[in-house]
Amino acid sequence: EAQVTQNPRYLITVTGKKLTVTCSQNMNHEYMSWYRQDPGLGLRQIYYSMNVEVTDKGDVPEGYKVSRKEKRNFPLILESPSPNQTSLYFCASSLRGISYGYTFGSGTRLTVV
Amino acid sequence: AQSVTQPDIHITVSEGASLELRCNYSYGATPYLFWYVQSPGQGLQLLLKYFSGDTLVQGIKGFEAEFKRSQSSFNLRKPSVHWSDAAEYFCAVQGVSGGSYIPTFGRGTSLIVHP
């Protein structure tokens, strides 16, 4: 089944403890992206990647890192999480990224205390 | 810069009634336009998309949307709503040139369906 898989689905952590949210897609998509969803703010893009080893900042990149060493994986790294990063996170992928629309993962609900 | 506005935060309809969700965009040319649906606890699913050509596009689950250049709108419609359509709906706009491949999402419209 074609899908984007995120792990974990739920995560509670403490301020300052490094964490990684994994994202993997099995559709050979070039384009991958991370979003955060907050009430009243919709989806805001954190980082995106046009292909392997090519990443760029989205609208809200502060406090996040990404890497794209393989085409299928695009992990999101929070080096020192803070409570304002408590949010619902989505990974998405697309073929070429311009006109095909996204396939989204099921989301990761992160709580930083 | 591109932007998208969904004027309605919540919409309530009765099951079987027709539905129209509004979306207005701002972009210097004709952009790519999308509608997504998010069911509770799920990720977003693509309903339909518009690039060019016929201004009325058909999507999955019986939805359609009409692009109106003069009004900068891309409203989503369904002739008869089912209880399972209760969800959050997002309109998105994406530029078509200059490497502006970053889509912008609206803040969403929550659809409530009464039996």
Side-chain angles (χ1 to χ4, degrees):
Chain A
E1 180 187 354
Q3 59 186 359
V4 176
T5 302
Q6 291 178 234
N7 281 297
R9 289 293 306 273
Y10 301 92
L11 178 60
I12 301 174
T13 191
V14 296
T15 298
K17 185 176 181 181
K18 181 180 179 180
L19 66 92
T20 299
V21 183
T22 63
C23 173
S24 180
Q25 51 93 4
N26 61 0
M27 297 165 283
N28 202 36
H29 284 172
E30 295 91 346
Y31 192 84
M32 297 186 74
S33 184
W34 276 102
Y35 289 86
R36 60 178 289 173
Q37 183 179 23
D38 301 289
L41 297 178
L43 283 95
R44 295 179 292 170
Q45 191 171 53
I46 304 171
Y47 269 95
Y48 66 97
S49 169
M50 300 287 284
N51 215 323
V52 176
E53 301 292 1
V54 180
T55 63
D56 210 344
K57 297 177 181 179
D59 298 322
V60 288
E62 293 78 20
Y64 304 94
K65 285 176 58 177
V66 293
S67 67
R68 189 90 182 274
K69 293 184 171 56
E70 309 165 278
K71 197 172 189 177
R72 64 183 292 124
N73 295 322
F74 191 45
L76 179 69
I77 303 157
L78 285 72
E79 294 269 3
S80 182
S82 63
N84 64 11
Q85 293 178 297
T86 292
S87 186
L88 179 59
Y89 291 86
F90 288 102
C91 181
S93 72
S94 173
L95 189 62
R96 296 192 182 90
I98 299 176
S99 60
Y100 289 86
Y102 285 98
T103 300
F104 279 82
S106 297
T108 296
R109 185 166 293 283
L110 172 65
T111 302
V112 183
V113 298
Chain B
Q2 64 206 34
S3 67
V4 61
T5 301
Q6 293 180 247
D8 303 304
I9 298 174
H10 303 284
I11 291 281
T12 301
V13 299
S14 298
E15 191 169 15
S18 63
L19 169 70
E20 182 169 30
L21 301 182
R22 296 184 291 165
C23 173
N24 294 98
Y25 70 89
S26 174
Y27 185 68
T30 300
Y32 295 127
L33 294 159
F34 306 84
W35 274 101
Y36 290 84
V37 59
Q38 183 182 27
S39 298
Q42 301 295 317
L44 281 72
Q45 180 184 19
L46 181 65
L47 280 176
L48 48 78
K49 55 192 175 185
Y50 173 79
F51 309 134
S52 64
D54 193 349
T55 56
L56 186 63
V57 294
Q58 302 297 320
I60 62 171
K61 305 187 181 196
F63 285 92
E64 65 178 27
E66 185 172 14
F67 170 65
K68 292 187 177 179
R69 186 192 313 274
S70 61
Q71 298 177 19
S72 297
S73 69
F74 188 58
N75 294 349
L76 182 71
R77 301 195 295 245
K78 187 169 185 178
S80 178
V81 171
H82 188 262
W83 64 266
S84 61
D85 293 324
E88 189 90 14
Y89 291 80
F90 292 91
C91 182
V93 60
Q94 186 166 332
V96 300
S97 63
S100 56
Y101 306 137
I102 301 177
T104 299
F105 285 82
R107 296 190 175 187
T109 298
S110 179
L111 175 63
I112 301 164
V113 180
H114 281 314

